[in-house]
Amino acid sequence: PLFSHNLVQPDLELPFMPGVVWNYTGGPHGAWEREGSWSAVDFAPSGFRGECSNSYAYVTASAPGLVVRAEDGVVIINLDYNNNEHSGWVLLYLHIATDGRVINAGDEVNTGDRLGHPSCEGGISTGTHVHMARKYNGEWMTADGPTPFLLSGWTVHNGSAIYKGTLTKPGEGLVTASSYSAPGSQIKR
């Protein structure tokens, strides 16, 4: 097997500043390619509704680690603090604006450190947001799989189709993905 049956994800926080409202705009979908593993989720700053425009909100590091790559809208953080994207836990952030990016490859970050602004840079995008996924030993980890994708205690669940889905947290309720930032998609760290 690629992963042990008792593999546990490290603690991860939602990828934005505490106390700020964002929207869950994309449930599980392809991490890198549209037809790939449903490993990624999307978040957009509150008020963005499917358009590409500048944002002053910041995407933040979900865990401490080493920035392995920071270019062309992509930021990769290795939680094992090494330069190998194929070993241990690795986080991918896509659509990070070049303008205002505050980190570079080789930088160490702590949980909550600013990475840059969400944008449409770095691939196909229908609006300003951050696309986030995780890998373990070079393999994409499905968001709603045996090792659940947990962000600030919220668990990611598949929906009936790609980009659909929910987040649940005991005592907090349910957040439903909406590409148009509909009521019920708001979440705060």
Side-chain angles (χ1 to χ4, degrees), residues 122-186:
I124 299 169
S125 178
T126 59
T128 298
H129 71 286
V130 63
H131 169 101
M132 184 181 179
R134 43 184 201 152
K135 290 195 284 186
Y136 182 75
N137 287 343
E139 298 293 330
W140 295 112
M141 298 297 292
T142 55
D144 187 6
T147 304
F149 200 169
L150 299 169
L151 294 161
S152 299
W154 291 91
T155 303
V156 174
H157 303 282
N158 287 343
S160 59
I162 192 168
Y163 290 98
K164 304 291 183 189
T166 59
L167 300 171
T168 59
K169 183 176 182 179
E172 297 285 334
L174 177 79
V175 175
T176 303
S178 168
S179 59
Y180 295 103
S181 302
S185 70
Q186 294 182 327

Side-chain angles (χ1 to χ4, degrees), residues 34 42 50-52 95 119-130:
R34 288 190 180 264
D42 294 343
E51 58 192 38
C52 292
H95 308 305
S119 73
C120 290
E121 287 182 39
I124 299 169
S125 178
T126 59
T128 298
H129 71 286
V130 63

